[in-house]
Amino acid sequence: MKRNVSLEEISDGRLYGYNDMVKADCHGCRGCYQCCTGMGNSIVLDPCDIWRLQAGTGKTLQELLEEGRVELNVVDGCILPNLRMTGKDERCSFLDSSGRCSIHESRPGICRLFPLGRCYQDGDFKYFLQVHECRENNRSKVKVSKWIDTPRQQEAHRFLCGWHELLGRIERQVTGREDSAQAREWNLALLKIFYFEPYSTDQDFYKQYQERLRRFDELWEHTSVERQ
């Protein structure tokens, strides 16, 4: 999800790589769960998040939608799933009664980053520290690679860059004609191929993703030829 703000407004003005130290460690949150409330539809899920959630909960996206844990919204022209906020205080649907994350081991990438964010530029990205989003005032320095807690980080990095590019490609095509039949077809294909078809959680995610990407690209090229 894009944010129409400058880095100077929301960060310490620095961009971080995996080997950099950043003041992000909030010491287990100490009972705080403010960042898990009132997030609207901003905790957008990518295909790897769905694979993780399916592995951690044993439930497909369809089942999580039916339970009200996840919902679909339009994000920059694309229909994508996000974690659902519930109740008067708009708590994440995966918070337990004591305000702790019930899916911590399989939590989405956006949750793993916080209070970091990603800044995409020229086909790549760096991390930035959000300075207004976490109320813990005494955060400690931690290496970025340790904080984001993501195995096989090089593969994860390539996946995120490619996924960002794919969503940007769709956004450029649908902007200004979101209600067209073509926009609906691309969004339905995006949801079906990358989200609603269950993943094999005992098999490598990235291999499954590449196969699905191949199928989507074939559809994209076929549709583009038809439009010429």
Side-chain angles (χ1 to χ4, degrees), residues 17-146:
Y18 289 107
N19 292 320
D20 291 328
M21 302 293 289
V22 60
K23 275 196 169 185
D25 189 347
C26 33
H27 312 291
C29 300
R30 297 171 179 170
C32 174
Y33 56 91
Q34 182 183 30
C35 64
C36 302
T37 64
M39 299 305 292
N41 65 346
S42 66
I43 313 301
V44 179
L45 306 174
D46 63 37
C48 189
D49 294 328
I50 296 299
W51 179 80
R52 281 198 193 105
L53 283 172
Q54 188 180 329
T57 67
K59 296 176 181 178
T60 64
L61 174 61
Q62 184 62 50
E63 291 170 320
L64 293 173
L65 285 166
E66 290 170 357
E67 290 182 355
R69 303 276 196 162
V70 173
E71 61 187 3
L72 297 177
N73 281 290
V74 177
V75 181
D76 302 323
C78 299
I79 301 174
L80 298 171
N82 61 265
L83 296 188
R84 183 168 174 259
M85 304 292 129
T86 62
K88 290 191 296 184
D89 54 354
E90 297 184 5
R91 293 161 50 110
C92 173
S93 61
F94 285 103
L95 282 182
D96 64 21
S97 58
S98 60
R100 306 303 289 175
C101 178
S102 65
I103 54 165
H104 192 262
E105 291 300 316
S106 54
R107 67 198 185 282
I110 290 178
C111 304
R112 291 170 183 269
L113 294 180
F114 188 84
L116 302 182
R118 297 190 198 103
C119 178
Y120 288 87
Q121 190 173 24
D122 300 326
D124 203 352
F125 70 84
K126 291 276 192 177
Y127 295 95
F128 64 91
L129 176 64
Q130 302 179 81
V131 294
H132 304 301
E133 303 297 333
C134 176
R135 67 184 186 187
E136 171 60 63
N137 295 320
N138 296 308
R139 292 191 299 269
S140 300
K141 282 192 174 182
V142 62
K143 186 179 283 191
V144 170
S145 60
K146 180 179 180 180

Side-chain angles (χ1 to χ4, degrees), residues 125-175:
F125 70 84
K126 291 276 192 177
Y127 295 95
F128 64 91
L129 176 64
Q130 302 179 81
V131 294
H132 304 301
E133 303 297 333
C134 176
R135 67 184 186 187
E136 171 60 63
N137 295 320
N138 296 308
R139 292 191 299 269
S140 300
K141 282 192 174 182
V142 62
K143 186 179 283 191
V144 170
S145 60
K146 180 179 180 180
W147 181 249
I148 62 176
D149 188 25
T150 300
R152 299 164 63 183
Q153 288 180 1
Q154 290 185 343
E155 288 175 280
H157 191 102
R158 286 194 295 269
F159 157 70
L160 288 168
C161 289
W163 181 246
H164 182 77
E165 187 279 328
L166 186 150
L167 294 182
R169 193 196 324 167
I170 297 174
E171 180 189 359
R172 290 190 292 273
Q173 290 295 325
V174 305
T175 297

